[in-house]
Amino acid sequence: MILETDRIAGVIIATLGLVLLFVVFPFAIEDMDDGSIKPDTVPNAIAAFLVICGVLLAIKKGEQTKRDTRELLLVLLYFTIIAAGLFAIPHFGFLIVSPFLAMAIMLIFGERRPIWLALGCVGMPAIIWFLVIQVLERSLP
């Protein structure tokens, strides 16, 4: 039996969803007494969705397509930048790291228009900061 890329990716996605559900989230999400919904509701729903989609991807027979090496390298670069950002945010803070992270991601995906780059690098982190700090009254690293 030849393992196809889609099936391998589906198994990996489903496994990561299960790890999030049963290993990461129970230890990383604190239970709160106040509020109308539990803090783990949305993360658990998203992780369950990842498991379902991963299983469906692993079951479904996909079409054979030729993979573009350049796209694969861009995906690997994207994941590397995301991982670096996740490690940098606790050390330097969200407000310092997020504009650089947003800029790098936008450049990888081919965005070159200055207005959109500015909005993505300054506007989105500012909106996220406002919603999390001011509206939700939560803290950012």
Side-chain angles (χ1 to χ4, degrees):
M1 176 179 164
I2 298 174
L3 291 176
E4 297 171 355
T5 310
D6 291 343
R7 293 180 194 247
I8 294 170
V11 169
I12 291 172
I13 290 169
T15 303
L16 289 175
L18 290 171
V19 168
L20 286 173
L21 273 173
F22 297 112
V23 178
V24 176
F25 291 162
F27 296 106
I29 300 174
E30 297 177 14
D31 209 11
M32 304 289 289
D33 293 334
D34 57 343
S36 59
I37 62 171
K38 293 175 60 175
D40 64 348
T41 302
V42 173
N44 283 340
I46 293 171
F49 184 71
L50 284 174
V51 172
I52 292 167
C53 290
V55 168
L56 291 175
L57 184 62
I59 292 172
K60 180 183 171 282
K61 175 134 175 79
E63 297 177 12
Q64 292 292 334
T65 58
K66 185 174 175 174
R67 304 289 183 216
D68 185 15
T69 307
R70 183 176 183 275
E71 287 181 10
L72 176 62
L73 292 175
L74 286 176
V75 168
L76 293 174
L77 180 61
Y78 171 77
F79 283 125
T80 303
I81 289 172
I82 293 294
L86 289 175
F87 285 112
I89 285 176
H91 297 292
F92 301 107
F94 175 81
L95 290 177
I96 294 173
V97 175
S98 60
F100 296 107
L101 186 60
M103 175 71 81
I105 291 171
M106 291 174 75
L107 290 173
I108 286 174
F109 286 117
E111 184 58 61
R112 299 293 185 264
R113 295 172 288 187
I115 300 282
W116 285 109
L117 289 172
L119 285 173
C121 296
V122 177
M124 283 311 296
I127 290 170
I128 292 168
W129 173 85
F130 175 76
L131 290 174
V132 172
I133 300 291
Q134 303 300 323
V135 176
L136 298 175
E137 298 178 351
R138 301 282 186 223
S139 63
L140 284 170

